[in-house]
């Protein structure tokens, strides 16, 4: 079983490719904590890197999973450039459960947070071609149940970058804000939010349980959700090209 977390589809697309390669299935991590996965011979994790670490929400889900210690466990993190400590963090959290991460790698994809800095993630789709070989290698390795850890030790720098002080700052800075003048109350954002953190009355309201996946910012058909004080311009809204809106909804 391949467990994933995804705001804009990069991680879901990779999870699906792995599932296709090893003839397995994908499941959102939020659903996985409600299941008994102890009979699964293989468990994969695919999730984005945020702030050089695992997304806070994903970190909180790992301790709740029911997994067999004898399973072949692998992980892939999607990131714009640097995965920092994210795969180390997963290894540490799994070890606390008596589970050894057998294989881990990162893959570079368009950085969906570019929209928060006034840049366009769609201008980074060249990464799909540039890192296609890396993805093929990852798929082959996982199929062969390789035991290899492909990540650099970021040590104190990674620790500093992922410290709670900076992380809380990031969560505050990137907190999405609804522009009520533009919001039509269509509900698209609420349907895709992986944290169930958006409520709808006449307008969308974003709660306090945001893990800043930026999914809502990227999907709003009226560009009514601001990020880091910036309007989400339509041309800067991003979703992995293989992932449809409905793929992000049913989870
Ligand atoms: C809040 C936030 C922080 C991010 N931090 C990093 C980072 O530290 N390093 C990096 O390479 N990419 C970073 N990214 C980019 C994402 O890891 C990347 O776009 C990922 O593939 C998104 O996955 P998804 O489409 O499955 O949601 C960040 C994205 C967000 C939204
Ligand atoms: S997707 Fe946009 S327009 Fe629709 S409810 Fe959410 S913020 Fe409002
Ligand atoms: S409120 Fe928006 S950014 Fe926050 S978790 Fe939900 S979809 Fe992601």
């Amino acid at each position: 079983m391949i467990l994933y977390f995804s705001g804009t589809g990069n991680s879901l697309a990779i999870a699906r490719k792995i599932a296709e390669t090893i003839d397995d299935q994908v499941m959102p991590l939020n659903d996985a904590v409600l299941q008994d996965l102890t009979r699964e011979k293989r468990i994969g994790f695919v999730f984005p890197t945020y702030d050089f670490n695992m997304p806070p929400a994903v970190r909180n889900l790992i301790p709740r999973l029911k997994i067999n210690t004898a399973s072949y466990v692998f992980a892939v993190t999607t990131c714009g450039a640097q995965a920092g400590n994210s795969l180390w963090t997963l290894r540490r959290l799994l070890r606390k459960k008596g589970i050894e991460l057998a294989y881990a790698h990162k893959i570079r994809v368009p950085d969906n947070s570019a929209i928060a800095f006034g840049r366009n993630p769609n201008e980074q789709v060249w990464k799909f071609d540039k890192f296609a070989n890396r993805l093929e290698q990852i798929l082959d390795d996982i199929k062969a149940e390789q035991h290899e850890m492909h990540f650099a030790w970021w040590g104190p720098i990674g620790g500093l970058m992922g410290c709670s002080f900076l992380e809380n700052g990031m969560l505050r800075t990137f907190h999405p804000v609804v522009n009520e003048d533009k919001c039509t109350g269509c509900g698209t954002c609420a349907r895709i939010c992986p944290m169930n953190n958006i409520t709808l009355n006449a307008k969308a309201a974003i709660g306090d349980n945001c893990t800043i996946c930026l999914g809502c910012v990227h999907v709003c058909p009226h560009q009514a959700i601001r990020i880091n004080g910036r309007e989400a311009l339509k041309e800067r809204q991003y979703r992995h090209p293989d992932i449809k809106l409905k793929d992000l909804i049913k989870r």
Side-chain angles (χ1 to χ4, degrees):
M1 185 66 71
I2 327 294
L3 313 179
Y4 72 89
F5 185 89
S6 189
T8 56
N10 287 337
S11 308
L12 174 55
I14 302 286
R16 283 184 168 176
K17 280 217 155 66
I18 298 171
E20 214 174 276
T21 306
I22 62 174
D23 194 20
D24 209 328
Q25 289 177 313
V26 300
M27 183 187 282
L29 259 157
N30 307 56
D31 292 351
V33 293
L34 307 172
Q35 309 285 327
D36 180 356
L37 301 171
T38 51
R39 285 170 181 226
E40 298 291 329
K41 293 197 175 75
R42 269 180 318 224
I43 295 283
F45 294 92
V46 189
F47 55 87
T49 290
Y50 294 169
D51 189 27
F52 302 93
N53 214 327
M54 292 178 87
V58 178
R59 243 177 288 159
N60 294 338
L61 290 169
I62 303 296
R64 295 169 54 198
L65 288 168
K66 292 188 203 79
I67 313 174
N68 190 330
T69 50
S71 305
Y72 171 71
V73 180
F74 62 89
V76 179
T77 188
T78 66
C79 60
Q82 294 295 349
N85 277 356
S86 55
L87 294 164
W88 282 95
T89 301
L90 177 65
R91 184 165 87 158
R92 184 171 48 78
L93 292 174
L94 288 173
R95 276 190 173 167
K96 279 193 184 164
K97 295 167 75 69
I99 293 160
E100 199 54 41
L101 184 59
Y103 179 88
H105 219 325
K106 72 165 190 184
I107 181 97
R108 285 184 64 189
V109 287
D111 181 347
N112 62 355
S113 72
I115 195 169
F117 303 102
R119 291 183 277 111
N120 189 344
N122 296 296
E123 289 172 1
Q124 300 179 22
V125 291
W126 54 266
K127 290 178 186 169
F128 294 131
D129 283 341
K130 177 148 189 201
F131 299 105
N133 288 346
R134 161 75 58 92
L135 180 56
E136 285 307 315
Q137 184 63 57
I138 290 173
L139 296 175
D140 288 349
D141 288 348
I142 291 172
K143 193 167 184 185
E145 300 203 349
Q146 293 284 4
H147 285 63
E148 281 171 16
M149 302 304 231
H150 293 272
F151 46 81
W153 165 232
W154 275 54
I157 299 173
L160 190 67
M161 290 177 131
C163 75
S164 56
F165 168 70
L166 289 180
E167 189 168 281
N168 290 339
M170 173 187 73
L171 288 169
R172 269 196 308 275
T173 310
F174 283 175
H175 198 275
V177 176
V178 176
N179 177 349
E180 296 203 350
D181 293 339
K182 283 186 166 183
C183 175
T184 64
C186 72
T188 311
C189 56
R191 286 197 287 274
I192 65 96
C193 175
M195 304 297 291
N196 277 329
N197 187 44
I198 304 182
T199 45
L200 270 184
N201 287 310
K203 310 277 177 185
I206 297 176
D208 294 332
N209 193 26
C210 176
T211 196
I212 51 171
C213 75
L214 306 193
C216 56
V217 177
H218 285 283
V219 298
C220 174
H222 302 284
Q223 295 76 45
I225 305 185
R226 289 198 189 107
I227 184 71
N228 197 15
R230 289 188 165 84
E231 296 294 321
L233 302 183
K234 189 172 183 175
E235 63 271 22
R236 291 184 192 155
Q237 286 179 309
Y238 171 81
R239 185 165 71 239
H240 187 284
D242 295 345
I243 299 301
K244 299 190 169 50
L245 185 59
K246 72 174 169 52
D247 298 324
L248 294 177
I249 290 173
K250 294 270 171 202
R251 3 182 236 188

mmCIF file with all atom_site columns, all heavy atoms in Angstrom, residues 178 182-189 200 204 220-222 224-225, ligand 2:
data_model
loop_
_atom_site.group_PDB
_atom_site.id
_atom_site.type_symbol
_atom_site.label_atom_id
_atom_site.label_alt_id
_atom_site.label_comp_id
_atom_site.label_asym_id
_atom_site.label_entity_id
_atom_site.label_seq_id
_atom_site.pdbx_PDB_ins_code
_atom_site.Cartn_x
_atom_site.Cartn_y
_atom_site.Cartn_z
_atom_site.occupancy
_atom_site.B_iso_or_equiv
_atom_site.pdbx_formal_charge
_atom_site.auth_seq_id
_atom_site.auth_comp_id
_atom_site.auth_asym_id
_atom_site.auth_atom_id
_atom_site.pdbx_PDB_model_num
ATOM   1   N  N   . VAL A 1 178 ? -8.784  34.188 2.823   1.00 0.00 ? 178 VAL A N   1
ATOM   2   C  CA  . VAL A 1 178 ? -9.857  34.308 1.822   1.00 0.00 ? 178 VAL A CA  1
ATOM   3   C  C   . VAL A 1 178 ? -10.172 35.778 1.559   1.00 0.00 ? 178 VAL A C   1
ATOM   4   O  O   . VAL A 1 178 ? -10.341 36.562 2.490   1.00 0.00 ? 178 VAL A O   1
ATOM   5   C  CB  . VAL A 1 178 ? -11.143 33.579 2.306   1.00 0.00 ? 178 VAL A CB  1
ATOM   6   C  CG1 . VAL A 1 178 ? -12.286 33.784 1.322   1.00 0.00 ? 178 VAL A CG1 1
ATOM   7   C  CG2 . VAL A 1 178 ? -10.869 32.087 2.503   1.00 0.00 ? 178 VAL A CG2 1
ATOM   8   N  N   . LYS A 1 182 ? -14.025 38.305 -3.522  1.00 0.00 ? 182 LYS A N   1
ATOM   9   C  CA  . LYS A 1 182 ? -13.941 37.440 -4.709  1.00 0.00 ? 182 LYS A CA  1
ATOM   10  C  C   . LYS A 1 182 ? -14.597 36.081 -4.498  1.00 0.00 ? 182 LYS A C   1
ATOM   11  O  O   . LYS A 1 182 ? -14.954 35.405 -5.458  1.00 0.00 ? 182 LYS A O   1
ATOM   12  C  CB  . LYS A 1 182 ? -12.476 37.202 -5.069  1.00 0.00 ? 182 LYS A CB  1
ATOM   13  C  CG  . LYS A 1 182 ? -11.782 38.357 -5.777  1.00 0.00 ? 182 LYS A CG  1
ATOM   14  C  CD  . LYS A 1 182 ? -10.400 37.858 -6.159  1.00 0.00 ? 182 LYS A CD  1
ATOM   15  C  CE  . LYS A 1 182 ? -9.681  38.730 -7.137  1.00 0.00 ? 182 LYS A CE  1
ATOM   16  N  NZ  . LYS A 1 182 ? -8.381  38.127 -7.490  1.00 0.00 ? 182 LYS A NZ  1
ATOM   17  N  N   . CYS A 1 183 ? -14.699 35.630 -3.246  1.00 0.00 ? 183 CYS A N   1
ATOM   18  C  CA  . CYS A 1 183 ? -15.195 34.279 -2.968  1.00 0.00 ? 183 CYS A CA  1
ATOM   19  C  C   . CYS A 1 183 ? -16.681 34.174 -3.306  1.00 0.00 ? 183 CYS A C   1
ATOM   20  O  O   . CYS A 1 183 ? -17.489 34.990 -2.861  1.00 0.00 ? 183 CYS A O   1
ATOM   21  C  CB  . CYS A 1 183 ? -14.962 33.939 -1.496  1.00 0.00 ? 183 CYS A CB  1
ATOM   22  S  SG  . CYS A 1 183 ? -15.658 32.345 -1.027  1.00 0.00 ? 183 CYS A SG  1
ATOM   23  N  N   . THR A 1 184 ? -17.025 33.145 -4.088  1.00 0.00 ? 184 THR A N   1
ATOM   24  C  CA  . THR A 1 184 ? -18.435 32.933 -4.460  1.00 0.00 ? 184 THR A CA  1
ATOM   25  C  C   . THR A 1 184 ? -19.088 31.856 -3.593  1.00 0.00 ? 184 THR A C   1
ATOM   26  O  O   . THR A 1 184 ? -20.256 31.528 -3.781  1.00 0.00 ? 184 THR A O   1
ATOM   27  C  CB  . THR A 1 184 ? -18.530 32.458 -5.930  1.00 0.00 ? 184 THR A CB  1
ATOM   28  O  OG1 . THR A 1 184 ? -17.877 31.184 -6.023  1.00 0.00 ? 184 THR A OG1 1
ATOM   29  C  CG2 . THR A 1 184 ? -17.881 33.443 -6.892  1.00 0.00 ? 184 THR A CG2 1
ATOM   30  N  N   . GLY A 1 185 ? -18.281 31.251 -2.701  1.00 0.00 ? 185 GLY A N   1
ATOM   31  C  CA  . GLY A 1 185 ? -18.820 30.172 -1.869  1.00 0.00 ? 185 GLY A CA  1
ATOM   32  C  C   . GLY A 1 185 ? -19.014 28.871 -2.630  1.00 0.00 ? 185 GLY A C   1
ATOM   33  O  O   . GLY A 1 185 ? -19.806 28.018 -2.230  1.00 0.00 ? 185 GLY A O   1
ATOM   34  N  N   . CYS A 1 186 ? -18.262 28.674 -3.707  1.00 0.00 ? 186 CYS A N   1
ATOM   35  C  CA  . CYS A 1 186 ? -18.452 27.476 -4.547  1.00 0.00 ? 186 CYS A CA  1
ATOM   36  C  C   . CYS A 1 186 ? -18.060 26.184 -3.834  1.00 0.00 ? 186 CYS A C   1
ATOM   37  O  O   . CYS A 1 186 ? -18.513 25.102 -4.190  1.00 0.00 ? 186 CYS A O   1
ATOM   38  C  CB  . CYS A 1 186 ? -17.656 27.610 -5.848  1.00 0.00 ? 186 CYS A CB  1
ATOM   39  S  SG  . CYS A 1 186 ? -15.871 27.437 -5.613  1.00 0.00 ? 186 CYS A SG  1
ATOM   40  N  N   . GLY A 1 187 ? -17.172 26.265 -2.842  1.00 0.00 ? 187 GLY A N   1
ATOM   41  C  CA  . GLY A 1 187 ? -16.831 25.093 -2.024  1.00 0.00 ? 187 GLY A CA  1
ATOM   42  C  C   . GLY A 1 187 ? -15.700 24.229 -2.549  1.00 0.00 ? 187 GLY A C   1
ATOM   43  O  O   . GLY A 1 187 ? -15.343 23.237 -1.908  1.00 0.00 ? 187 GLY A O   1
ATOM   44  N  N   . THR A 1 188 ? -15.113 24.571 -3.677  1.00 0.00 ? 188 THR A N   1
ATOM   45  C  CA  . THR A 1 188 ? -14.028 23.739 -4.225  1.00 0.00 ? 188 THR A CA  1
ATOM   46  C  C   . THR A 1 188 ? -12.888 23.594 -3.222  1.00 0.00 ? 188 THR A C   1
ATOM   47  O  O   . THR A 1 188 ? -12.373 22.492 -2.999  1.00 0.00 ? 188 THR A O   1
ATOM   48  C  CB  . THR A 1 188 ? -13.494 24.356 -5.538  1.00 0.00 ? 188 THR A CB  1
ATOM   49  O  OG1 . THR A 1 188 ? -14.592 24.649 -6.375  1.00 0.00 ? 188 THR A OG1 1
ATOM   50  C  CG2 . THR A 1 188 ? -12.537 23.420 -6.254  1.00 0.00 ? 188 THR A CG2 1
ATOM   51  N  N   . CYS A 1 189 ? -12.508 24.693 -2.604  1.00 0.00 ? 189 CYS A N   1
ATOM   52  C  CA  . CYS A 1 189 ? -11.384 24.660 -1.656  1.00 0.00 ? 189 CYS A CA  1
ATOM   53  C  C   . CYS A 1 189 ? -11.696 23.727 -0.488  1.00 0.00 ? 189 CYS A C   1
ATOM   54  O  O   . CYS A 1 189 ? -10.839 22.938 -0.069  1.00 0.00 ? 189 CYS A O   1
ATOM   55  C  CB  . CYS A 1 189 ? -11.061 26.066 -1.155  1.00 0.00 ? 189 CYS A CB  1
ATOM   56  S  SG  . CYS A 1 189 ? -12.477 26.904 -0.411  1.00 0.00 ? 189 CYS A SG  1
ATOM   57  N  N   . LEU A 1 200 ? -17.753 26.303 5.076   1.00 0.00 ? 200 LEU A N   1
ATOM   58  C  CA  . LEU A 1 200 ? -18.481 27.150 4.117   1.00 0.00 ? 200 LEU A CA  1
ATOM   59  C  C   . LEU A 1 200 ? -19.765 27.645 4.717   1.00 0.00 ? 200 LEU A C   1
ATOM   60  O  O   . LEU A 1 200 ? -20.552 26.846 5.239   1.00 0.00 ? 200 LEU A O   1
ATOM   61  C  CB  . LEU A 1 200 ? -18.856 26.323 2.896   1.00 0.00 ? 200 LEU A CB  1
ATOM   62  C  CG  . LEU A 1 200 ? -17.913 26.241 1.724   1.00 0.00 ? 200 LEU A CG  1
ATOM   63  C  CD1 . LEU A 1 200 ? -18.571 25.439 0.640   1.00 0.00 ? 200 LEU A CD1 1
ATOM   64  C  CD2 . LEU A 1 200 ? -17.532 27.625 1.206   1.00 0.00 ? 200 LEU A CD2 1
ATOM   65  N  N   . ALA A 1 204 ? -16.073 30.991 2.043   1.00 0.00 ? 204 ALA A N   1
ATOM   66  C  CA  . ALA A 1 204 ? -15.170 30.018 2.667   1.00 0.00 ? 204 ALA A CA  1
ATOM   67  C  C   . ALA A 1 204 ? -14.504 30.651 3.884   1.00 0.00 ? 204 ALA A C   1
ATOM   68  O  O   . ALA A 1 204 ? -14.180 31.842 3.870   1.00 0.00 ? 204 ALA A O   1
ATOM   69  C  CB  . ALA A 1 204 ? -14.104 29.596 1.652   1.00 0.00 ? 204 ALA A CB  1
ATOM   70  N  N   . CYS A 1 220 ? -8.650  27.386 -6.272  1.00 0.00 ? 220 CYS A N   1
ATOM   71  C  CA  . CYS A 1 220 ? -9.804  28.299 -6.277  1.00 0.00 ? 220 CYS A CA  1
ATOM   72  C  C   . CYS A 1 220 ? -10.068 28.839 -7.687  1.00 0.00 ? 220 CYS A C   1
ATOM   73  O  O   . CYS A 1 220 ? -9.219  29.509 -8.273  1.00 0.00 ? 220 CYS A O   1
ATOM   74  C  CB  . CYS A 1 220 ? -9.573  29.454 -5.309  1.00 0.00 ? 220 CYS A CB  1
ATOM   75  S  SG  . CYS A 1 220 ? -10.908 30.673 -5.431  1.00 0.00 ? 220 CYS A SG  1
ATOM   76  N  N   . PRO A 1 221 ? -11.259 28.557 -8.236  1.00 0.00 ? 221 PRO A N   1
ATOM   77  C  CA  . PRO A 1 221 ? -11.533 28.978 -9.612  1.00 0.00 ? 221 PRO A CA  1
ATOM   78  C  C   . PRO A 1 221 ? -11.686 30.488 -9.760  1.00 0.00 ? 221 PRO A C   1
ATOM   79  O  O   . PRO A 1 221 ? -11.694 30.999 -10.874 1.00 0.00 ? 221 PRO A O   1
ATOM   80  C  CB  . PRO A 1 221 ? -12.852 28.262 -9.947  1.00 0.00 ? 221 PRO A CB  1
ATOM   81  C  CG  . PRO A 1 221 ? -13.464 27.911 -8.641  1.00 0.00 ? 221 PRO A CG  1
ATOM   82  C  CD  . PRO A 1 221 ? -12.362 27.786 -7.638  1.00 0.00 ? 221 PRO A CD  1
ATOM   83  N  N   . HIS A 1 222 ? -11.781 31.181 -8.617  1.00 0.00 ? 222 HIS A N   1
ATOM   84  C  CA  . HIS A 1 222 ? -11.927 32.644 -8.676  1.00 0.00 ? 222 HIS A CA  1
ATOM   85  C  C   . HIS A 1 222 ? -10.706 33.373 -8.105  1.00 0.00 ? 222 HIS A C   1
ATOM   86  O  O   . HIS A 1 222 ? -10.761 34.574 -7.862  1.00 0.00 ? 222 HIS A O   1
ATOM   87  C  CB  . HIS A 1 222 ? -13.211 33.058 -7.943  1.00 0.00 ? 222 HIS A CB  1
ATOM   88  C  CG  . HIS A 1 222 ? -14.422 32.395 -8.526  1.00 0.00 ? 222 HIS A CG  1
ATOM   89  N  ND1 . HIS A 1 222 ? -14.985 32.796 -9.715  1.00 0.00 ? 222 HIS A ND1 1
ATOM   90  C  CD2 . HIS A 1 222 ? -15.120 31.310 -8.113  1.00 0.00 ? 222 HIS A CD2 1
ATOM   91  C  CE1 . HIS A 1 222 ? -16.007 32.000 -9.998  1.00 0.00 ? 222 HIS A CE1 1
ATOM   92  N  NE2 . HIS A 1 222 ? -16.112 31.087 -9.049  1.00 0.00 ? 222 HIS A NE2 1
ATOM   93  N  N   . ALA A 1 224 ? -9.542  33.478 -5.216  1.00 0.00 ? 224 ALA A N   1
ATOM   94  C  CA  . ALA A 1 224 ? -10.018 34.263 -4.067  1.00 0.00 ? 224 ALA A CA  1
ATOM   95  C  C   . ALA A 1 224 ? -9.233  33.975 -2.788  1.00 0.00 ? 224 ALA A C   1
ATOM   96  O  O   . ALA A 1 224 ? -9.639  34.432 -1.719  1.00 0.00 ? 224 ALA A O   1
ATOM   97  C  CB  . ALA A 1 224 ? -11.501 33.970 -3.839  1.00 0.00 ? 224 ALA A CB  1
ATOM   98  N  N   . ILE A 1 225 ? -8.149  33.200 -2.890  1.00 0.00 ? 225 ILE A N   1
ATOM   99  C  CA  . ILE A 1 225 ? -7.380  32.936 -1.670  1.00 0.00 ? 225 ILE A CA  1
ATOM   100 C  C   . ILE A 1 225 ? -5.973  33.502 -1.835  1.00 0.00 ? 225 ILE A C   1
ATOM   101 O  O   . ILE A 1 225 ? -5.236  33.129 -2.749  1.00 0.00 ? 225 ILE A O   1
ATOM   102 C  CB  . ILE A 1 225 ? -7.336  31.422 -1.336  1.00 0.00 ? 225 ILE A CB  1
ATOM   103 C  CG1 . ILE A 1 225 ? -8.777  30.881 -1.248  1.00 0.00 ? 225 ILE A CG1 1
ATOM   104 C  CG2 . ILE A 1 225 ? -6.581  31.199 -0.031  1.00 0.00 ? 225 ILE A CG2 1
ATOM   105 C  CD1 . ILE A 1 225 ? -8.899  29.445 -0.809  1.00 0.00 ? 225 ILE A CD1 1
HETATM 106 S  S1  . LIG B 2 .   ? -12.773 27.834 -3.991  1.00 0.00 ? 2   LIG B S1  1
HETATM 107 FE FE1 . LIG B 2 .   ? -12.541 30.046 -3.941  1.00 0.00 ? 2   LIG B FE1 1
HETATM 108 S  S2  . LIG B 2 .   ? -14.527 30.875 -4.556  1.00 0.00 ? 2   LIG B S2  1
HETATM 109 FE FE2 . LIG B 2 .   ? -14.839 28.716 -4.039  1.00 0.00 ? 2   LIG B FE2 1
HETATM 110 S  S3  . LIG B 2 .   ? -15.410 28.761 -1.829  1.00 0.00 ? 2   LIG B S3  1
HETATM 111 FE FE3 . LIG B 2 .   ? -13.184 28.489 -1.903  1.00 0.00 ? 2   LIG B FE3 1
HETATM 112 S  S4  . LIG B 2 .   ? -12.358 30.573 -1.777  1.00 0.00 ? 2   LIG B S4  1
HETATM 113 FE FE4 . LIG B 2 .   ? -14.516 30.757 -2.306  1.00 0.00 ? 2   LIG B FE4 1
#
